[in-house]
Amino acid sequence: MPINTLGDITRVHRANIPNQIALYNISDDKTWTYEALDKESCQCANALAELGITRQDRVAFLDKNAPEYFTYLFGIAKLGAVSVAVNWRLAAPEMEYILNHSEAKMLLIGEEFLGHLSEMNLDLKDRAPGSIVVLGDPGDSGYLTYEQWLAGKSEVDPHVVVEPEETCYQLYTSGTTGLPKGVETTHDNLITMMTSGLAPLNFNPDAINLVCMPLFHISGSGWGVIGLFSGCKSVLLRDVDLQQILSVIPQHGVTHTIFVPAVLQFLLAQPNINDVDFSSLKSVTYGPSPITEEVLVNSMNTFKAQFYQVYGLTETTGGVTMLHPEEHDPGGPRADFLRSCGRVVEGSELRIVNREDGEEMPEGEVGEIWIRGPQVMKGYWRNDDATAESINAEGWFKSGDAGYLREGFLFIHDRVKDMIISGGENIYPAEIENVLMSHPAISDAAVIGVPDDRWGETVKAIITIATTEDGKALTEEAVFSYCRKNLANYKCPTSVDWMETIPRNPSGKILKTELRKPYWAGRERNVS
């Protein structure tokens, strides 16, 4: 039986390799075979069905990395419903927007986020009992635990007919308007990514896959699904714990893993890094944020594994370009290709386009990166205008990133949009500017990314002050405090500059290129 949909993954492996270990959770030392994983996902599917969840209904998850994410995910997929993983780093108002915008009909939430839940006004709170279920101790909330929710539910597969072109994932990505957008990823998108796009990663049933990146990211959840799709054992960490990563790799014989560049940099800085046995490690995938050559070369020398760089977005179901191990050539005749993010993967197409007229740019000239192929999203949920802006009539997705091609290799040059990438997190200035402008003492604000040795980029706020009520000057700390109350910590400014008048063009658009220039002077490109 072929694997055509997300729900088929555990279904097929339960039939073919029932006793193979599928998942090991470090936090509670618990193991699932593929048979156990499929049985529990069937219980989830049947519990969801009892709540009235049907095809294409949205069902949400809010917690750090937990094994129940996968049992829940495959259960959702077996009904043809759609999984919405919420970024646990967000502030409560941001979580609330995503849960309501997605029209989620159920929420599985970790106990440590019940405080956030109490601050939210959610549509699903008015639904039937069981529409909110807690992983861990629900305290006096009155909500069911996950175990109570599953108790007595059938382990029989509901066998709902699911079409591969239907949506199965809905991850949220921030938008330039300041409101997150729900990216609709289909079964076809995911299966294509695993069978052709990232097939060179050479997963097999003997691999041991480390899953430590956040599951609300395509690089986290998608990576976890790749391992399970291949029939191998995946080792799950609740969070990015540097010392735990270093102990888990030799202890469990990890062969495959993915890190964002910031994690590689932090691992290299650990005092015991040279004492760790990395001999089991065969493959390290890194991306999607840029990496310095120093960090990359030091990582290659330390881990002594095959390194793969990938570039992609949530909208492209992760990686659509790949720099292969043999193309990592520090000190060699093609060493400068280390700065590229490789060539387009099988089945996908890539163009560099003049954003103004849509004409293709000559080799070596910078333009916007356009992508077409079976990994491109279905669209943005409940946002036809944004979908039409992003995907043209010929199916080309406009990434908003700028780069150039050289001998078929993609080099990221800058970003057409103003997105900041800090430690692998995508941050859109408009979200932060909206919050800053709601402060009564701020009359104008601009947010830019500035270089940072640890995170690649970090957020700087440039502010024009209005008169405060008490006549006192607004302090940098007051700005930080206000942002922390309304935004996820990683989005908050780390520095503030004061400006009498923020420069704008005649149409009122902030001249961010001019604002960035002093901070990026002398740098080879305007992303770190």
Side-chain angles (χ1 to χ4, degrees):
M1 177 183 174
I3 296 176
N4 296 318
T5 67
L6 195 57
D8 287 339
I9 292 175
T10 55
R11 182 180 290 133
V12 168
H13 291 330
R14 177 180 180 178
N16 296 334
I17 47 171
N19 298 321
Q20 163 83 351
I21 294 175
L23 189 63
Y24 174 71
N25 186 42
I26 291 290
S27 297
D28 60 7
D29 191 30
K30 188 175 178 183
T31 299
W32 284 257
T33 63
Y34 277 99
E35 181 175 41
L37 193 66
D38 189 66
K39 283 182 177 180
E40 193 168 320
S41 71
C42 289
Q43 286 185 293
C44 285
N46 291 313
L48 288 164
E50 284 187 17
L51 278 173
I53 305 298
T54 60
R55 286 170 60 166
Q56 296 302 283
D57 283 342
R58 270 55 182 170
V59 185
F61 178 90
L62 172 53
D63 195 8
K64 294 183 179 179
N65 292 2
E68 292 84 0
Y69 171 82
F70 292 102
T71 56
Y72 190 56
L73 173 71
F74 292 119
I76 293 165
K78 287 178 186 292
L79 291 181
V82 180
S83 168
V84 180
V86 181
N87 183 344
W88 51 262
R89 293 173 177 165
L90 299 177
E94 297 170 303
M95 295 174 177
E96 177 186 304
Y97 174 82
I98 289 171
L99 289 166
N100 285 337
H101 179 268
S102 67
E103 301 172 14
K105 294 188 175 179
M106 185 196 154
L107 171 63
L108 180 60
I109 185 170
E111 64 176 81
E112 68 181 279
F113 299 102
L114 288 173
H116 291 72
L117 182 62
S118 67
E119 299 176 37
M120 298 184 223
N121 181 19
L122 298 180
D123 297 338
L124 65 81
K125 282 186 175 179
D126 298 327
R127 289 180 54 81
S131 59
I132 297 177
V133 174
V134 178
L135 285 172
D137 183 1
D140 59 0
S141 66
Y143 299 129
L144 293 176
T145 66
Y146 176 76
E147 291 75 17
Q148 290 170 334
W149 181 64
L150 283 192
K153 300 300 185 292
S154 171
E155 296 176 352
V156 176
D157 194 319
H159 284 294
V160 173
V161 176
V162 178
E163 301 300 334
E165 66 271 16
E166 291 180 330
T167 304
C168 61
Y169 259 35
Q170 188 163 306
L171 301 180
Y172 273 76
T173 181
S174 298
T176 54
T177 61
L179 292 175
K181 293 178 289 188
V183 175
E184 292 198 63
T185 300
T186 68
H187 297 273
D188 269 341
N189 290 150
L190 277 169
I191 301 300
T192 301
M193 177 267 287
M194 294 184 288
T195 56
S196 59
L198 298 188
L201 297 178
N202 296 319
F203 273 90
N204 59 70
D206 295 325
I208 308 294
N209 185 36
L210 177 60
V211 183
C212 62
M213 303 310 297
L215 295 175
F216 58 76
H217 271 181
I218 192 68
S219 61
S221 56
W223 186 259
V225 170
I226 290 173
L228 295 169
F229 175 85
S230 73
C232 78
K233 173 184 174 180
S234 289
V235 178
L236 182 67
L237 270 61
R238 182 157 176 81
D239 204 352
V240 177
D241 182 314
L242 300 172
Q243 282 299 312
Q244 196 171 49
I245 289 170
L246 294 180
S247 66
V248 162
I249 290 173
Q251 183 181 352
H252 292 274
V254 169
T255 61
H256 290 63
T257 189
I258 189 170
F259 298 125
V260 296
V263 171
L264 284 172
Q265 183 176 349
F266 297 156
L267 287 171
L268 292 173
Q270 297 301 297
N272 60 330
I273 184 72
N274 294 319
D275 300 326
V276 179
D277 178 5
F278 294 117
S279 60
S280 67
L281 205 54
K282 296 179 179 179
S283 171
V284 175
T285 301
Y286 64 99
S289 56
I291 189 169
T292 66
E293 188 169 338
E294 180 185 14
V295 169
L296 177 54
V297 173
N298 286 344
S299 296
M300 293 171 64
N301 291 335
T302 299
F303 294 108
K304 294 181 173 58
Q306 292 188 317
F307 272 67
Y308 297 81
Q309 181 178 174
V310 294
Y311 159 78
L313 305 93
T314 307
E315 290 91 337
T316 62
T317 322
V320 286
T321 73
M322 181 180 290
L323 188 70
H324 292 256
E326 63 272 18
E327 294 159 344
H328 287 68
D329 186 30
R334 294 172 68 83
D336 53 342
F337 280 85
L338 279 177
R339 293 190 298 103
S340 85
C341 47
R343 293 171 289 184
V344 68
V345 300
E346 180 185 345
S348 293
E349 300 174 81
L350 187 146
R351 298 172 64 199
I352 304 297
V353 172
N354 184 320
R355 192 176 174 88
E356 300 302 318
D357 57 20
E359 292 296 314
E360 194 156 347
M361 302 295 290
E363 177 163 315
E365 292 195 23
V366 175
E368 185 175 18
I369 302 165
W370 285 16
I371 301 150
R372 182 168 70 177
Q375 289 184 217
V376 172
M377 67 173 179
K378 185 177 181 178
Y380 294 115
W381 169 252
R382 299 285 194 248
N383 198 334
D384 292 342
D385 289 344
T387 300
E389 281 180 25
S390 297
I391 305 175
N392 72 11
E394 297 176 331
W396 288 99
F397 169 69
K398 306 171 186 179
S399 72
D401 291 336
Y404 62 92
L405 288 172
R406 178 178 156 203
E407 298 179 36
F409 287 77
L410 176 65
F411 290 76
I412 304 294
H413 177 75
D414 203 338
R415 283 182 288 276
V416 174
K417 299 172 185 175
D418 296 318
M419 185 178 74
I420 300 163
I421 300 181
S422 183
E425 294 283 1
N426 294 347
I427 303 170
Y428 284 86
E431 291 185 271
I432 307 164
E433 289 163 354
N434 287 345
V435 168
L436 290 169
M437 291 300 292
S438 68
H439 193 292
I442 296 175
S443 60
D444 201 5
V447 169
I448 59 172
V450 296
D452 184 86
D453 290 338
R454 289 192 76 192
W455 303 106
E457 289 181 273
T458 189
V459 177
K460 176 179 283 291
I462 300 170
I463 291 173
T464 298
I465 307 173
T467 306
T468 59
E469 290 182 6
D470 58 4
K472 294 180 180 177
L474 188 66
T475 65
E476 186 178 60
E477 183 52 42
V479 173
F480 295 159
S481 177
Y482 187 75
C483 288
R484 284 193 294 266
K485 291 178 183 176
N486 293 280
L487 292 166
N489 283 342
Y490 71 87
K491 297 179 185 179
C492 293
T494 59
S495 62
V496 177
D497 282 356
W498 314 98
M499 187 172 284
E500 186 173 341
T501 304
I502 292 174
R504 297 175 181 269
N505 67 14
S507 64
K509 184 177 179 181
I510 297 172
L511 300 175
K512 291 192 176 178
T513 302
E514 298 302 314
L515 291 176
R516 280 192 289 259
K517 274 184 181 177
Y519 305 100
W520 293 94
R523 299 251 172 176
E524 189 172 340
R525 59 186 181 183
N526 290 334
V527 291
S528 189

